[in-house]
């Protein structure tokens, strides 16, 4: 197989037996051995088990059994998502020894279809971060320039797909964690609508926003994966009971005649001019494909960061309360219970996680709840309404995925607020619970730029359709880093 083959090409090659599943595992295993030391994209690999599952798939195929279109495809998983028998650290020392006894629903569905877990991807601890520098297993490097961040929090997943260290990745997006690394690493990533995919078996970050979605080489690959993982799960009460379209058929439909909303707030002074030029060029491609651009306004966009960074730490702090060194995870034994808690949490969490716990606990405390949490919930409703109104007029909304290109490692290290501002264009869709795809749309200073395509809730087929036609018309997604 050629390097950087799409999942669709791997699928064809496996189906026609041009390549075996064992060969597929060996291909990615060799690349991980050669390239991962530069990038640090994996926390754990599980090659032996993947190879033995691959041998089973190969036997079934030779025996003529009917197999799914992803049988034998190796993939990686963000380390906040549970995989039976493979440790899941959440990139925090407190879970260094945690080995889940079951698969999260999304992983179980992929494994049932014959896909092979080859390892767990590095990330910001528990998904808290925008650069993958807040991992207790070391920062991940961007494959395009190892002095730069890969984006976060799913930086290991973005870097692994961009460097061809797995065919695709399953990651989590609460406030941009799939889209930001996809954008910084030059690959495609889908944040699904709230409720589209089961979150059972993923470590909760902010439960009212968390979503599980794929990062892959192309929008078409994402459509293939989504077909396997999406849909209601009785084990997740927030998963939507809604029919699934045939994604691969839907994305073939032309985009001619469809309307693209272009929000003025996404092209404000905050956006670097070179990024603006690249994104405007992408919008122009859609005009050539027959879609029309409609200027719109999402008036509450400027409140999104403040709203997100109140609500999310509140939910973070309550969700993290369970990690105390008593029930599971690494326990720092101390003289009494109180000091066992404090020592386990002090040593088990990185600074950003501690910051979230302090912010969230403060904002939820008596006397402050109304001023912060309640007010932020109200603004969240206004942000959601902005999108509802816009989608009455347009089919999708487009803008940049990030205000700039991947920044240098350490550039925002001493300024958490500056780091939070990196999320300006990704958190509104998260607060609104809608879906959003990031696809590569050009380069600035040799680094990839992402185009964000947002769609109405549970209408993933629309952003994927635009993304697919964009990738049929352009070749940004087929340009790869020299490694
Ligand atoms: N940058 C966001 C945050 O730190 C990303 C969260 C996420 O999507 N997991 O909260």
């Amino acid at each position: 197989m050629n390097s950087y083959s799409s999942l669709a090409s791997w699928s064809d090659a496996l189906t026609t037996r041009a390549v075996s599943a064992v060969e597929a595992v060996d291909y990615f295993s060799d690349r991980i051995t050669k390239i991962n030391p530069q990038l640090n994209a994996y926390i754990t690999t599980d090659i032996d088990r993947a190879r033995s599952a691959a041998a089973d798939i190969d036997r079934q195929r030779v025996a003529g059994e009917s197999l799914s279109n992803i049988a034998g495809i190796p993939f990686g998983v963000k380390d906040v998502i549970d995989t039976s028998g493979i440790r899941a650290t959440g990139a925090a020392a407190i879970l260094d020894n945690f080995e889940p006894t079951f698969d999260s629903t999304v992983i179980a569905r992929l494994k049932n279809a014959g896909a092979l877990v080859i390892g767990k991807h590095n990330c910001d601890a528990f998904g808290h971060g925008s650069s993958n520098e807040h991992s207790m297993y070391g920062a991940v490097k961007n494959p395009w320039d190892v002095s730069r961040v890969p984006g976060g929090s799913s930086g290991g997943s973005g870097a692994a797909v961009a460097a061809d260290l797995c065919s695709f990745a399953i990651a989590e997006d609460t406030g941009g964690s799939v889209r930001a690394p996809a954008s910084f690493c030059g690959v495609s990533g889908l944040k699904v609508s709230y409720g589209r995919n089961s979150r059972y078996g993923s470590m909760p970050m902010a439960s009212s926003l968390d979503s599980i979605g794929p990062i892959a080489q192309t929008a078409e690959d994402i459509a293939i994966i989504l077909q396997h993982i999406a849909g209601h799960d009785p084990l997740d009460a927030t998963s939507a009971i809604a029919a699934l379209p045939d994604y691969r058929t839907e994305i073939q439909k032309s985009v001619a005649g469809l309307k693209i909303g272009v929000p003025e707030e996404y092209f404000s002074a905050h956006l670097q001019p070179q990024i603006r030029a690249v994104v405007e060029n992408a919008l122009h491609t859609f005009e050539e494909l027959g879609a029309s651009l409609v200027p719109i306004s999402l008036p509450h966009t400027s409140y999104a960061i403040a709203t997100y960074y109140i609500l999310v730490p509140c939910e973070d702090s309550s969700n993290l309360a369970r990690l105390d060194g008593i029930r599971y995870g690494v326990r720092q034994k101390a003289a009494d219970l109180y000091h066992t808690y404090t020592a386990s949490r002090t040593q088990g969490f990185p600074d950003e996680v501690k910051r979230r716990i302090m912010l969230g606990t403060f904002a939820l405390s008596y006397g402050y709840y109304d001023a912060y949490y309640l007010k932020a919930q109200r603004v969240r409703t206004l942000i959601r309404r902005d999108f509802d109104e816009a989608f009455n007029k347009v089919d999708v909304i487009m803008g940049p995925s990030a205000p700039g290109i991947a920044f240098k490692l350490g550039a925002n290290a001493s300024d958490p607020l500056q780091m939070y501002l990196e999320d300006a264009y990704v958190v509104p869709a998260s607060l609104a619970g809608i879906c959003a795809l990031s696809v590569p749309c050009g380069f600035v200073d040799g680094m990839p730029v992402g185009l964000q395509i947002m769609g109405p809730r549970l209408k993933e087929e629309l952003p994927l359709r635009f993304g697919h036609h964009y990738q049929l018309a352009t070749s940004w997604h087929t340009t790869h880093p020299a490694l």
Side-chain angles (χ1 to χ4, degrees):
M1 288 294 286
N2 296 329
S3 298
Y4 302 101
S5 293
S6 64
L7 184 161
S9 321
W10 275 107
S11 173
D12 289 345
L14 285 158
T15 309
T16 56
R17 288 171 53 190
V19 67
S20 72
V22 170
E23 284 166 342
V25 170
D26 287 342
Y27 169 82
F28 289 110
S29 160
D30 287 350
R31 282 191 71 88
I32 292 171
T33 309
K34 201 168 107 218
I35 296 164
N36 191 55
Q38 297 168 60
L39 303 179
N40 196 25
Y42 281 82
I43 291 180
T44 307
T45 54
D46 197 30
I47 303 299
D48 290 347
R49 204 177 338 207
R51 197 181 280 115
S52 105
D56 285 343
I57 297 281
D58 288 336
R59 268 192 294 277
Q60 289 165 23
R61 205 178 308 269
V62 170
E65 289 181 30
S66 100
L67 296 174
S68 95
N69 57 356
I70 56 168
I73 306 255
F75 71 105
V77 184
K78 183 176 185 178
D79 216 19
V80 297
I81 300 171
D82 288 343
T83 40
S84 175
I86 312 174
R87 76 176 176 154
T89 67
I94 199 160
L95 288 184
D96 187 62
N97 62 2
F98 173 57
E99 198 173 285
T101 52
F102 65 97
D103 280 316
S104 59
T105 296
V106 161
I107 301 306
R109 287 180 179 175
L110 290 167
K111 280 166 76 169
N112 287 341
L116 311 164
V117 178
I118 51 166
K120 302 297 298 288
H121 290 152
N122 202 345
C123 56
D124 286 298
F126 302 117
H128 303 173
S130 312
S131 66
N132 213 143
E133 293 168 289
H134 302 306
S135 163
M136 293 178 96
Y137 296 84
V140 176
K141 318 281 165 47
N142 192 310
W144 292 88
D145 174 353
V146 292
S147 71
R148 293 177 186 271
V149 303
S153 63
S154 317
S157 304
V161 174
D164 203 26
L165 308 185
C166 57
S167 175
F168 67 92
I170 294 295
E172 159 273 343
D173 188 313
T174 299
S177 284
V178 160
R179 290 161 285 161
S183 163
F184 281 7
C185 294
V187 290
S188 305
L190 176 69
K191 175 236 175 294
V192 296
S193 312
Y194 187 72
R196 177 43 99 197
N197 291 344
S198 169
R199 299 171 302 140
Y200 178 73
S202 67
M203 296 176 195
M205 178 180 160
S207 307
S208 75
L209 293 91
D210 295 345
S211 67
I212 304 296
I215 297 181
Q217 300 282 356
T218 67
E220 184 184 32
D221 286 358
I222 290 178
I224 296 171
I225 302 157
L226 192 60
Q227 203 73 51
H228 288 280
I229 61 178
H232 178 65
D233 173 15
L235 297 173
D236 176 357
T238 64
S239 72
I241 303 179
L244 284 188
D246 181 334
Y247 290 110
R248 218 167 165 189
T249 307
E250 285 296 317
I251 65 168
Q252 306 304 330
K253 295 180 183 164
S254 157
V255 297
L258 298 188
K259 294 197 182 78
I260 300 169
V262 184
E264 55 178 289
E265 294 79 5
Y266 282 59
F267 293 85
S268 66
H270 185 55
L271 181 65
Q272 288 178 11
Q274 291 162 296
I275 305 276
R276 169 199 282 264
V278 166
V279 172
E280 284 177 348
N281 197 25
L283 296 178
H284 181 60
T285 303
F286 286 107
E287 284 186 306
E288 287 171 357
L289 293 172
S292 54
L293 303 182
V294 181
I296 60 163
S297 173
L298 298 167
H300 297 93
T301 302
S302 62
Y303 302 108
I305 286 284
T307 306
Y308 177 91
Y309 278 101
I310 295 287
L311 294 178
V312 168
C314 288
E315 297 192 28
D316 285 338
S317 68
S318 358
N319 274 326
L320 289 162
R322 75 193 71 190
L323 298 172
D324 54 12
I326 298 292
R327 285 166 279 200
Y328 43 77
V330 178
R331 179 181 308 169
Q332 304 297 340
K333 287 204 187 86
D336 54 31
L337 182 64
Y338 176 82
H339 289 98
T340 301
Y341 283 153
T342 50
S344 302
R345 286 165 73 82
T346 301
Q347 291 176 46
F349 294 144
D351 286 352
E352 180 60 26
V353 171
K354 291 174 188 160
R355 193 158 26 239
R356 306 267 172 136
I357 293 172
M358 288 168 71
L359 274 173
T361 308
F362 175 80
L364 287 175
S365 56
Y366 183 75
Y368 293 106
Y369 175 89
D370 290 0
Y372 294 108
Y373 185 77
L374 206 59
K375 194 177 265 177
Q377 286 290 25
R378 293 194 171 123
V379 181
R380 180 179 188 178
T381 303
L382 298 177
I383 291 169
R384 194 173 54 230
R385 281 190 198 146
D386 283 354
F387 282 105
D388 289 347
E389 279 170 31
F391 284 127
N392 286 331
K393 290 181 260 173
V394 298
D395 297 288
V396 292
I397 296 172
M398 291 192 195
S401 299
I405 54 168
F407 43 92
K408 293 274 186 188
L409 286 153
N412 290 337
S414 57
D415 188 349
L417 197 57
Q418 194 53 41
M419 188 75 95
Y420 296 166
L421 287 171
E422 289 291 330
D423 301 342
Y425 301 129
V426 279
V427 296
S430 300
L431 290 165
I434 60 171
C435 57
L437 173 74
S438 182
V439 289
C441 68
F443 291 87
V444 166
D445 296 338
M447 295 302 294
V449 175
L451 169 73
Q452 188 179 193
I453 311 175
M454 292 171 268
R457 184 153 184 265
L458 300 177
K459 292 277 181 210
E460 281 73 9
E461 60 276 19
L462 276 170
L464 288 172
R465 178 170 158 189
F466 277 88
H468 178 56
H469 283 278
Y470 184 70
Q471 291 178 336
L472 290 176
T474 60
S475 58
W476 305 116
H477 63 292
T478 58
T479 311
H480 302 291
L483 283 164

